[in-house]
Amino acid sequence: MRRAIAVSALGLGTTSPNPPVGCLILDSGGRVVGEGFHRRKGEAHAEGNALAAAGHAARGGTAVVTLEPCNHVGRAPACRALLIEAGIARVVVAVIDPTSRGAGGVAELSREGTDVEVGVLADEAELVLGPWLTAVGRGTPFVTWAYCADAEDHRQVPGVDVHGYDAVVGSDGHLREGVPGGHGETFVLPGELSRDAPEMALRALYAAGVRSLLVLGGRGLAELFAAAGLVDEVLVCLTGRAASLPGGELPFSGFRISSVRRLEDHVLVQAQREDPLFRAK
């Protein structure tokens, strides 16, 4: 499962509005014979890619997947059906999909006689799935605020990779994809993010397919989001020079420090909201 979780992260920044999912296929002897992840909407899901890599070796084997296999046919076949057709005997799942349709993939797999285990390393799987789960639970993107506490230029924050986010917005309100063209034709971003009604702006982004948003800058738009309680995570770069930190000392009120990392000549502090509005169990 930990390998599946790591593989799932390869889809961050391009899968939305679908979740980033990873899957491993083990043969009947327990050897890994295939792995895959979901890249973007309209393309094969993680299970489909992993089964394609495994080929006939999947029969009688085990599928290890970070999110419950889907139970509906869209642009890609239902993963539940693919697993059954491939002759998978056992499916191990980390997190149940809150958007499952009908009885759900796990229930259908069990009904067909497949051995299913659920909840394996769910907390660890949520390290990748968490932002997506939060977004679908409330109808607005997961918002990360990143800035350099003692620098004027916030267009780049050391240690923060914009490619892991669906959309990025700077202090000027201009929106762009974290991975340019990464979502194909699945959604089109508006040119700028409205400052007048932050929550409405986030709901519009969600409707456009955005599930994770990176807000860059120590002032302006970022502070509007923070003041409205719309920030889920804060990433602050510190170089050790005296500075006036937006929002006061670290951690910010209502947040807790989750990690502190030394990166060359600076430190990256990560703080997360203490009372998330949604958390999968």
Side-chain angles (χ1 to χ4, degrees):
M1 182 61 77
R2 290 194 172 105
R3 174 68 182 183
I5 293 168
V7 169
S8 74
L10 293 171
L12 288 172
T14 61
T15 65
S16 291
N18 291 348
V21 180
C23 178
L24 257 65
I25 303 296
L26 285 66
D27 66 13
S28 57
R31 296 178 293 272
V32 175
V33 291
E35 68 179 26
F37 67 97
H38 181 46
R39 187 178 300 275
R40 65 173 58 86
K41 183 178 180 179
E43 297 186 6
H45 290 183
E47 296 92 328
N49 286 326
L51 287 169
H56 295 299
R59 186 159 298 276
T62 298
V64 180
V65 60
T66 59
L67 187 69
E68 179 183 20
C70 66
N71 192 35
H72 63 278
V73 178
R75 294 188 182 182
C79 294
R80 171 265 308 161
L82 291 179
L83 293 168
I84 292 171
E85 290 170 6
I88 289 292
R90 182 169 181 256
V91 177
V92 179
V93 177
V95 177
I96 290 293
D97 186 352
T99 68
S100 273
R101 302 179 191 179
V106 161
E108 289 297 326
L109 285 165
S110 297
R111 188 174 68 84
E112 292 291 331
T114 307
D115 181 22
V116 181
E117 183 177 359
V118 176
V120 176
L121 299 183
D123 288 347
E124 294 182 34
E126 287 178 19
L127 293 173
V128 178
L129 285 166
W132 182 83
L133 290 166
T134 298
V136 299
R138 69 185 183 206
T140 58
F142 183 94
V143 176
T144 297
W145 175 19
Y147 65 90
C148 294
D150 41 16
E152 294 297 326
D153 187 357
H154 302 281
R155 288 173 295 181
Q156 289 186 334
V157 178
V160 178
D161 183 5
V162 301
H163 296 96
Y165 301 86
D166 294 328
V168 181
V169 61
S171 56
D172 59 357
H174 181 72
L175 279 162
R176 68 181 192 274
E177 281 185 280
V179 179
H183 298 84
E185 300 178 354
T186 57
F187 67 79
V188 178
L189 295 177
E192 292 188 6
L193 197 62
S194 172
R195 298 170 179 265
D196 298 329
E199 186 170 357
M200 289 182 62
L202 287 182
R203 293 195 179 279
L205 282 181
Y206 183 89
V210 176
R211 299 295 179 265
S212 61
L213 174 68
L214 176 65
V215 183
L216 294 172
R219 294 286 186 266
L221 186 65
E223 288 186 315
L224 291 177
F225 277 84
L230 299 173
V231 174
D232 299 290
E233 178 182 59
V234 181
L235 299 173
V236 186
C237 173
L238 302 169
T239 62
R241 297 190 295 270
S244 175
L245 302 183
E249 77 237 14
L250 290 174
F252 305 107
S253 177
F255 288 79
R256 62 178 179 83
I257 289 179
S258 54
S259 73
V260 180
R261 289 182 289 152
R262 168 89 183 254
L263 302 171
E264 296 183 358
D265 62 346
H266 60 276
V267 172
L268 185 67
V269 180
Q270 179 185 38
Q272 296 182 318
R273 183 175 293 282
E274 292 179 331
D275 56 342
L277 297 179
F278 178 84
R279 181 174 173 82
K281 290 296 183 186

